[in-house]
Amino acid sequence: MRALARALYDEAVRAADPALAVRRHFDKQPPAPLPAGGRNILIAIGKAAPAMLAEAMRHVRAPVLALAVTHHGNDRAIPGATVLSAGHPEPDEAGLQAGRRIIELLDGAEAQDRVFAFISGGGSALVPTPRPPLTLSEKQQVNRLLLASGLAIEQVNLIRQHLSELKGGGFLRHAAPARVTALILSDVIGNDLGAIASGPTVAPLGTAQDALDLLSQRALLDKMPLAAVNLLTEGRAAPATPAADNYLIGSNESSLAAMCDAVPPGWTAQIFSNRLIGDVSDAASRIAEAALQASSRGRQALIFGGETTVNLRGSGKGGRNQELALRVAMLGRDWQRPWVFLSGGTDGRDGPTDAAGGVVDGTTLARLEAAGVDSTSLLANNDSNAVLSASGDLLITGPTGTNVADVQVLLLF
């Protein structure tokens, strides 16, 4: 059953293959001929950037200027293109320099040029491009604060957009007067284009005042660097956002449907929720409730998708998928039937670890107790990685080259 859970996860990843998504788009809508003297400028940002750019270059004719920015360990050579790697989830100096390269390319675009943007999850951290006078170290401080705050990803991105040169439509403003066509692989539940990679090719999610109000409501304003607060309180209206042609080419929902279709004969499959969001402990309770509501007869696969949040209270190492798996293991100990639960990020990475998530079952806690592991104390320290490592329940996949948020499957048999 653990092998089946992994096979369904792999099907979700395959359904989000970025190269196939780009190919399907260009097969339906081939790039239009360039005006005289024009150039094609291709810029890919995110965890799926290399795959998206490599496929795009098969469809877009020369002359081409091409650049991809992805996370460390996911870069690869693409003939005719420059591929850079940067830090994720923590922005780093490499990302700052990559962002400057992107701005340099966009600032050089002219009206007869065509700019293609290929956007996928992770793009927000990969190209930090802080607005002056905000420094990279201050932007890193902001990022750490927001990621540990328990804020939803849309709320995090609302704040980051007003501190960045590229986010919240900044990509379009630098590209003007060239027209931008963006192909977007969504890692955001609900597929709000303004939230994916903080929306470089769409208008901001809200105003700077909205960001200030949110920070104040969550008692985060006093923890922000002074330069960031000053940028938000200046109250400058963002310049008008130029029009763009934005296309959504892949999403979490598509991957959940693929998982459902891949459930073998003899099983009943149900997409129980495609919005498993909010605090990870609440999400675990929803999964436990689904298990208790499920019929006691027959083999069942309950499928979930979303992106939970973890409110960090300790100094341990883990991620939202690992913690969700551990919490489900704790809640499922006394369920009256065998079960397996998998929670994984489709990018193959969960938090600052080498795991994509976890695969647990009804024997997980017994194995931990036999090994003398105090899982309750480690969980209180947000150290889910250590717990699942001790039980042998980590989901290790390596980088997948795509990202459409998280998927979960609960097998009851």
Side-chain angles (χ1 to χ4, degrees):
M1 295 303 103
R2 293 170 70 93
L4 174 57
R6 173 60 190 268
L8 295 177
Y9 166 86
D10 290 342
E11 196 63 35
V13 171
R14 274 192 292 273
D17 184 288
L20 290 178
V22 171
R23 187 181 311 162
R24 286 192 296 264
H25 173 83
F26 281 128
D27 284 346
K28 293 178 181 177
Q29 291 186 245
L34 277 170
R39 301 166 299 169
N40 285 306
I41 300 173
L42 280 59
I43 298 175
I45 306 169
K47 296 177 180 178
M52 295 179 82
L53 184 62
E55 180 63 30
M57 292 184 70
R58 298 178 61 247
H59 301 268
V60 179
R61 295 183 178 180
V64 171
L65 298 174
L67 172 65
V69 183
T70 191
H71 58 89
H72 295 310
N74 193 45
D75 53 318
R76 59 185 174 91
I78 299 176
T82 299
V83 180
L84 304 175
S85 66
H88 185 279
E90 177 78 355
D92 62 8
E93 180 66 26
L96 179 66
Q97 297 305 321
R100 289 173 176 168
R101 290 282 296 276
I102 291 173
I103 289 173
E104 182 181 350
L105 268 179
L106 295 177
D107 285 346
E110 300 179 353
Q112 68 270 28
D113 296 329
R114 298 277 171 78
V115 177
F116 290 88
F118 303 92
I119 308 297
S120 57
S124 189
L126 290 168
V127 285
T129 58
R131 285 177 54 196
L134 194 67
T135 65
L136 175 62
S137 62
E138 289 170 328
K139 189 71 181 290
Q140 290 170 328
Q141 182 182 343
V142 170
N143 200 55
R144 286 192 294 267
L145 175 65
L146 297 179
L147 291 178
S149 66
L151 290 173
I153 187 63
E154 293 86 355
Q155 295 171 314
V156 170
N157 286 338
L158 164 65
I159 297 163
R160 293 196 288 204
Q161 284 177 341
H162 292 281
L163 303 175
S164 169
E165 286 287 328
L166 289 174
K167 299 172 177 58
F171 187 105
L172 302 179
R173 292 188 284 272
H174 279 285
R179 182 82 177 190
V180 175
T181 298
L183 275 58
I184 302 170
L185 193 65
S186 174
D187 68 331
V188 173
I189 303 309
N191 303 323
D192 185 339
L193 301 187
I196 303 164
S198 294
T201 62
V202 296
L205 291 167
T207 66
Q209 186 60 52
D210 293 332
L212 279 170
D213 291 344
L214 177 59
L215 288 166
S216 180
Q217 292 165 10
R218 295 300 184 93
L220 297 171
L221 198 57
D222 292 341
K223 300 177 183 179
M224 293 279 284
L226 182 59
V229 175
N230 288 341
L231 282 173
L232 294 174
T233 54
E234 283 174 0
R236 291 201 306 256
T241 304
D245 300 311
N246 289 307
Y247 297 95
L248 181 67
I249 62 171
S251 67
N252 186 262
E253 289 91 337
S254 299
S255 286
L256 299 185
M259 293 175 74
C260 201
D261 291 343
V263 170
W267 287 77
T268 300
Q270 177 186 0
I271 298 177
F272 198 89
S273 174
N274 61 5
R275 289 184 176 271
L276 193 68
I277 57 177
D279 186 80
V280 67
S281 61
D282 295 334
S285 296
R286 289 179 62 190
I287 291 165
E289 182 179 351
L292 296 174
Q293 290 176 353
S295 169
S296 59
R297 295 182 179 180
R299 297 185 168 194
Q300 297 173 72
L302 305 184
I303 294 168
F304 307 78
E307 187 167 288
T308 60
T309 55
V310 176
N311 196 350
L312 295 179
R313 297 180 176 86
S315 57
K317 185 178 179 183
R320 59 182 181 266
N321 286 288
Q322 293 164 80
E323 184 159 326
L324 178 59
L326 178 55
R327 288 182 179 276
V328 169
M330 291 176 166
L331 293 173
R333 183 171 191 171
D334 297 323
W335 293 346
Q336 299 303 306
R337 62 192 298 190
W339 58 271
V340 168
F341 176 73
L342 178 149
S343 182
T346 54
D347 60 352
R349 298 181 64 185
D350 186 41
T353 75
D354 61 355
V359 188
V360 294
D361 58 42
T363 70
T364 292
L365 292 190
R367 285 183 276 116
L368 288 169
E369 290 171 0
V373 175
D374 185 350
S375 54
T376 301
S377 296
L378 288 170
L379 178 59
N381 192 40
N382 296 117
D383 210 0
S384 55
N385 183 264
V387 179
L388 296 183
S389 178
S391 64
D393 289 335
L394 288 174
L395 173 65
I396 305 289
T397 67
T400 64
T402 191
N403 186 22
V404 290
D406 304 333
V407 296
Q408 294 84 24
V409 58
L410 175 63
L411 300 177
L412 302 167
F413 50 98

